[in-house]
Amino acid sequence: MKQNPFSLQYGRMPEWYVQRNDVPDQIIQSFESGQPAVKSCVVSGLRGMGKTVTLNSVSDYFRDKNWIVISLNPYRDMLESFGACLYHALEADENKESSEYSRRKLNLRSNDIEMIDEQLLVRAIENYRQVLITIDDIVYTDHVLAFFHFLNRISPEDYPLCILMSGLWQNVSDSENDRIPAFVMRSKKVILGMLDTDLMTEYYRQIFSVSRRTAARFTDITFGYPYAFQVLGYYIWEYPDDFLDNNQKRMNRHLREQVYRVILHEQKEQDRKLLKSAAGLKYESRTPSAVRNAAGLSEKAYSSSAERLLSQSLIAFDEDDGLMFFNLPGFSKAFEK
């Protein structure tokens, strides 16, 4: 039996995934343009939207273009890690057969890590190399803040440096989060939404060798949510002879236990109250006033909560009747014990 081409693991590049060619192309075009010299971009979206896959796709493109691509961990000393990775990449340029650390060879004349990092960037210019730094799932540790201070200081210089980050909406776009550094607030923002349902249907059709009508039923169950595409596909592959309804239940249970509870934990208490109240109402009763009354929120509190949830693509409102609905499949069941 062939191996299941779908993956339940976050951040892993599955064998089959629906590509967002427009998003990586948008980032690539921005990085390949002229000014400013130090360019930065943040990919934002809910968990399971494909932020890590997007970072990997852009990274692979620039590796093929002979850029130096460095992935940094926000929980480690990023100035040290950046310098070490850049040093070894440049050392490989100068002496392909040697990997021995040699400060003298690259003429580094400082014991200060920021000065060393700058000298290495100068050498990158001399070697005609561009540098891409990636930071996945950004959080604002002291290491990250120190590194951003370094990037702010060198930004007036003409260094061949691009920074690509990913993060949850709360950590990169929430105007009420005063911990978001100015460097991130100034960065270009790319917000990931749902996938192209026609593409999803075509992928399902090819993988399972089913009719387009059957594949479209699979797609409808996922609501276009990227991680749901993987989870539903995984269970259909594992249980091919079972009813679709049962595989849908497996998908909903997995999403509820592995994803939605984490998403809810990351919300403000007021926003969780709104979501829980909306989930407790039948769809035809989910008018804004009914949800607000059920949650016991003032008009101002309701408006601020709804705006935050809309910004994260957790909820939406029907254009015709104004009723609230959830953008994620089976999300109304997330509050069940």
Side-chain angles (χ1 to χ4, degrees):
M1 182 179 180
K2 290 175 62 178
Q3 185 176 356
N4 194 324
F6 297 93
S7 174
L8 299 182
Q9 290 185 324
Y10 276 120
R12 176 187 170 189
M13 191 80 79
E15 181 180 342
W16 283 83
Y17 66 96
V18 182
Q19 296 183 1
R20 303 175 182 268
N21 291 331
D22 58 325
V23 175
D25 288 351
Q26 180 184 350
I27 298 169
I28 288 166
Q29 184 178 2
S30 172
F31 284 172
E32 289 186 329
S33 65
Q35 297 298 319
V38 177
K39 294 173 279 289
S40 60
C41 176
V42 184
V43 180
S44 176
L46 285 169
R47 293 187 181 279
M49 279 295 189
K51 299 183 293 296
T52 300
V53 170
T54 299
L55 261 65
N56 290 339
S57 179
V58 174
S59 297
D60 290 344
Y61 172 87
F62 284 115
R63 281 194 190 93
D64 290 343
K65 292 288 185 179
N66 200 35
W67 283 36
I68 298 172
V69 178
I70 298 172
S71 177
L72 296 180
N73 182 341
Y75 293 99
R76 299 187 62 181
D77 189 325
M78 296 171 71
L79 287 166
E80 290 278 359
S81 297
F82 173 63
C85 292
L86 184 54
Y87 182 92
H88 286 296
L90 294 172
E91 184 185 47
D93 282 350
E94 299 206 2
N95 189 354
K96 297 290 186 181
E97 65 275 6
S98 172
S99 60
E100 182 181 349
Y101 190 94
S102 171
R103 177 179 297 246
R104 179 174 51 82
K105 186 174 187 178
L106 286 175
N107 298 316
L108 302 180
R109 300 185 179 89
S110 175
N111 289 316
D112 180 88
I113 186 60
E114 290 195 19
M115 292 294 293
I116 291 175
D117 287 352
E118 277 200 82
Q119 291 175 37
L120 290 167
L121 285 169
V122 170
R123 181 54 61 90
I125 295 175
E126 295 172 353
N127 287 15
Y128 304 101
R129 299 294 297 276
Q130 296 277 102
V131 180
L132 171 66
I133 297 170
T134 64
I135 309 170
D136 197 11
D137 201 9
I138 191 76
V139 288
Y140 303 117
T141 62
D142 289 342
H143 297 309
V144 171
L145 298 178
F147 192 69
F148 285 166
H149 183 273
F150 166 70
L151 294 176
N152 279 325
R153 185 175 64 77
I154 68 170
S155 60
E157 305 297 331
D158 191 21
Y159 293 131
L161 185 61
C162 296
I163 299 93
L164 178 59
M165 301 167 278
S166 74
L168 299 173
W169 179 85
Q170 298 94 319
N171 289 336
V172 299
S173 298
D174 186 356
S175 59
E176 297 179 16
N177 185 349
D178 56 10
R179 278 187 54 80
I180 300 178
F183 183 85
V184 173
M185 297 298 287
R186 291 195 302 265
S187 298
K188 175 184 177 67
K189 302 291 195 308
V190 175
I191 301 175
L192 298 182
M194 298 302 174
L195 293 172
D196 184 309
T197 53
D198 288 337
L199 272 178
M200 293 178 75
T201 297
E202 181 58 23
Y203 274 55
Y204 276 143
R205 188 191 68 78
Q206 291 183 33
I207 296 168
F208 292 108
S209 299
V210 296
S211 68
R212 184 165 183 82
R213 182 177 179 180
T214 298
R217 288 181 63 199
F218 297 171
T219 298
D220 289 343
I221 288 172
T222 70
F223 287 22
Y225 179 41
Y227 189 56
F229 170 79
Q230 293 293 326
V231 177
L232 180 64
Y234 179 89
Y235 285 119
I236 293 175
W237 185 276
E238 293 294 318
Y239 304 96
D241 298 324
D242 207 348
F243 293 109
L244 180 59
D245 284 352
N246 289 336
N247 283 319
Q248 181 179 3
K249 289 176 182 177
R250 291 184 179 102
M251 178 198 77
N252 286 339
R253 183 169 58 250
H254 181 93
L255 293 175
R256 183 174 68 249
E257 294 174 355
Q258 301 298 323
V259 185
Y260 296 164
R261 287 178 180 171
V262 178
I263 289 176
L264 287 171
H265 179 74
E266 293 164 343
Q267 306 302 312
K268 297 178 184 292
E269 181 178 356
Q270 175 178 297
D271 301 351
R272 284 197 300 271
K273 185 183 294 187
L274 187 153
L275 290 169
K276 184 176 183 178
S277 299
L281 297 172
K282 293 183 178 180
Y283 171 71
E284 56 269 20
S285 301
R286 283 194 207 135
T287 63
S289 59
V291 174
R292 179 172 62 80
N293 290 334
L297 299 176
S298 67
E299 289 189 14
K300 182 178 180 181
Y302 170 82
S303 295
S304 61
S305 284
E307 184 178 348
R308 284 191 294 270
L309 297 172
L310 280 166
S311 297
Q312 297 175 69
S313 298
L314 270 174
I315 63 169
F317 293 92
D318 189 277
E319 293 182 359
D320 296 325
D321 53 28
L323 298 177
M324 179 189 295
F325 61 90
F326 298 113
N327 275 325
L328 301 179
F331 191 77
S332 60
K333 306 293 186 182
F335 297 92
E336 294 181 354
K337 298 296 185 183

